[in-house]
């Protein structure tokens, strides 16, 4: 709904509005679960974030990087964990607790969403336009925040 309202206000329409347009595909990067990871560093550069928030976000980014390395290098049910999570019927919550490790469900949600939406950010899916300041790491399938 927010994507539609934003598009209608900022871009207007000359045709019936379609929710699943190519403009909406880019919006998959602009999820609320990764908003702090995308926006806090930019706000910190402009002096708009206190030291605690900056340190908290930096720690979260480091933990997410560790989780991504773990998922990319771990095998589960005879397949790479990254590939297992991409399947629609699978979710991190179905993993045994020893595999979920010490990472929070919040971090797992971000990692899972990055993997599941990576297909939508494949080359050529944006009318020949590159994704700004980020995009998909085609080696691992991870989406990097802009």
């Amino acid at each position: 709904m927010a994507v539609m309202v934003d598009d209608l206000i900022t871009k207007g329409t000359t045709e019936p509005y379609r929710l699943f347009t190519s403009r909406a595909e880019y919006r998959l990067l602009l999820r609320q679960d990764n908003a702090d990871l995308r926006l806090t560093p930019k706000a910190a550069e402009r002096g708009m974030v206190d030291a605690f928030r900056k340190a908290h976000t930096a720690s979260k980014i480091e933990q997410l990087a560790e989780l991504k390395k773990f998922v990319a290098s771990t095998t589960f049910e005879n397949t790479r964990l990254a590939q297992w999570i991409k399947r629609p019927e699978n979710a991190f919550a179905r993993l045994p607790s020893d595999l979920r490790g010490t990472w929070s469900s919040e971090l797992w949600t971000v990692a899972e969403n990055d993997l599941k939406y990576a297909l939508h950010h494949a080359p050529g899916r944006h009318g020949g336009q590159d994704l700004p300041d980020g995009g998909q790491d085609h080696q691992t399938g991870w989406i990097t925040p802009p």
Side-chain angles (χ1 to χ4, degrees):
M1 181 63 81
V3 171
M4 180 180 71
V5 171
D6 182 58
D7 281 351
L8 292 173
I9 291 170
T10 61
K11 296 178 176 57
T13 78
T14 57
E15 63 181 58
Y17 187 82
R18 294 186 184 115
L19 185 60
F20 298 108
T21 65
S22 61
R23 289 188 290 190
E25 285 182 23
Y26 172 68
R27 304 294 174 102
L28 292 174
L29 285 174
L30 308 178
R31 305 182 316 263
Q32 77 180 35
D33 68 329
N34 68 5
D36 59 335
L37 301 176
R38 291 181 292 104
L39 301 175
T40 302
K42 293 177 189 255
E45 288 173 11
R46 291 163 179 81
M48 300 167 61
V49 175
D50 64 27
F52 175 79
R53 180 72 181 173
K54 186 177 177 179
H56 175 74
T57 302
S59 172
K60 187 174 175 181
I61 290 170
E62 286 178 28
Q63 291 175 33
L64 185 60
E66 290 173 15
L67 174 56
K68 288 178 176 185
K69 285 179 189 175
F70 172 78
V71 169
S73 64
T74 301
T75 301
F76 179 67
E77 293 183 354
N78 297 321
T79 189
R80 288 274 179 212
L81 189 52
Q83 294 301 317
W84 184 88
I85 289 176
K86 285 183 184 182
R87 297 177 189 154
E89 68 274 10
N90 293 336
F92 79 89
R94 290 189 53 216
L95 292 170
S97 60
D98 61 319
L99 273 181
R100 282 185 265 149
T102 59
W103 294 289
S104 69
S105 61
E106 179 184 10
L107 286 174
W108 274 105
T109 298
V110 173
E112 181 178 330
N113 288 336
D114 281 355
L115 280 170
K116 289 191 181 206
Y117 292 137
L119 174 64
H120 296 283
H121 301 289
R125 297 274 304 190
H126 298 278
Q129 300 173 2
D130 291 331
L131 292 174
D133 303 316
Q136 181 180 358
D137 177 340
H138 300 290
Q139 295 283 333
T140 61
W142 292 105
I143 298 171
T144 56

